[in-house]
Amino acid sequence: MKKKVFKYKFVYWISIMINLIVMILYWNYSYSIFLNSSFEIKDLFSISLIFFTALYSALTLIFLLIKHKFAVLLYSIFLILIVILLLKTIFEALSDERKFVNGAEPIDYVISSITYLLFFGTIFFLIQKYKFKNISDDLEINEIGKL
């Protein structure tokens, strides 16, 4: 019997593609942060959260590819880390009254973060709804007729 993580292959491939895209983006962002040596101590939490999310995305991708039984749990935690980063961005944009990089208004960061929150929330709902639940264990010969 084949190992299954989700009920449908579509959800499995969507989760792999999203994880792969996010992993590449976060690894590139982590790399660019470490090349830029002008970050401050107050940004240490953000930088460590971004790096941890990039590292965790690689681990989650491996678990999804080998179809381990904890893949859905790890993927859920991965999505929660991304939601925490987006909520942190919203909070910073609302609490900071000055203009951000390149003169962008804080409302621009709020609107884009809310859009991403809706997207990742939908993905979180999909993986929780369509995760594979193995309710039929290997039956013994004397218990076949009892079901």
Side-chain angles (χ1 to χ4, degrees), residues 3 5 12 15-16 19-20 23 27 54-72 74-75:
K3 288 184 182 179
V5 178
Y12 176 72
S15 63
I16 285 179
N19 193 354
L20 194 62
M23 183 180 72
W27 275 110
L55 189 65
Y56 203 76
S57 67
L59 179 70
T60 305
L61 184 64
I62 290 170
F63 272 66
L64 277 173
L65 290 176
I66 63 173
K67 296 182 180 179
H68 196 270
K69 64 181 179 178
F70 293 121
V72 176
L74 291 175
Y75 197 73

Side-chain angles (χ1 to χ4, degrees), residues 6 13 15 17 22 25 38 62 73-74 77 85 87 91 104 107 114 126-127 135 139 141:
F6 299 105
W13 287 109
S15 63
M17 292 303 295
V22 170
L25 291 175
S38 65
I62 290 170
L73 176 67
L74 291 175
I77 294 170
L85 279 168
L87 288 174
F91 178 72
I107 194 71
I114 288 174
L126 281 175
I127 67 164
I135 56 173
L139 299 174
I141 291 179

Side-chain angles (χ1 to χ4, degrees), residues 17 30 47 63 66 81 132:
M17 292 303 295
S30 298
I47 292 168
F63 272 66
I66 63 173
L81 282 173
F132 183 71

